Amino acid sequence: MPEAAWRAPQRAPGPPRELDARRFFTFVARALLLRCPSCGRAGILAELAAALLILLALVLTWPEVPWKLVQYGGVALVLIMPLLFFPFSRTLWLAVHLAFHPPTETDFAEGT
């Protein structure tokens, strides 16, 4: 990877910081925003537009809801949503991992 494309998070050298509530919630908040939990950089894009479209369709057609469409749309969502949710689950687990095992200088060394 070119040197300009990736840089380790800037942090003072020394032992990893202790886990506290503020730091943990910072990791989780960054993960939910699909950013790197460690440094906060953006890099993963995902949208949950399908859920909003279905909700809008139900609200607009409320008295006569097209239940067949809801049924088959639900099956489609069961197949599609894990793929859409993957970035969130990955960054959330990364946030938890970083909370308990903060990165050190050796994690970003060349050749590891």
Side-chain angles (χ1 to χ4, degrees):
M1 192 175 279
E3 186 177 331
W6 171 255
R7 292 185 200 162
Q10 299 300 317
R11 189 172 75 78
R17 297 186 322 209
E18 290 186 27
L19 176 64
D20 61 357
R22 181 178 180 198
R23 188 163 168 247
F24 178 75
F25 286 117
T26 299
F27 285 154
V28 171
R30 287 176 179 169
L32 289 173
L33 293 171
L34 295 178
R35 296 181 172 273
C36 173
S38 179
C39 66
R41 287 187 185 197
I44 301 172
L45 300 176
E47 295 184 30
L48 298 178
L52 293 175
L53 288 174
I54 288 177
L55 179 64
L56 180 65
L58 289 175
V59 169
L60 292 177
T61 62
W62 177 244
E64 298 175 19
V65 177
W67 291 112
K68 287 289 185 187
L69 177 63
V70 172
Q71 180 181 5
Y72 294 122
V75 170
L77 281 178
V78 166
L79 298 173
I80 294 171
M81 289 308 285
L83 299 174
L84 293 177
F85 187 72
F86 176 74
F88 289 100
S89 63
R90 183 176 180 149
T91 55
L92 279 171
W93 281 111
L94 181 60
V96 171
H97 175 76
L98 289 172
F100 291 102
H101 302 284
T104 61
E105 297 295 325
T106 57
D107 292 331
F108 301 104
E110 289 289 326
T112 57

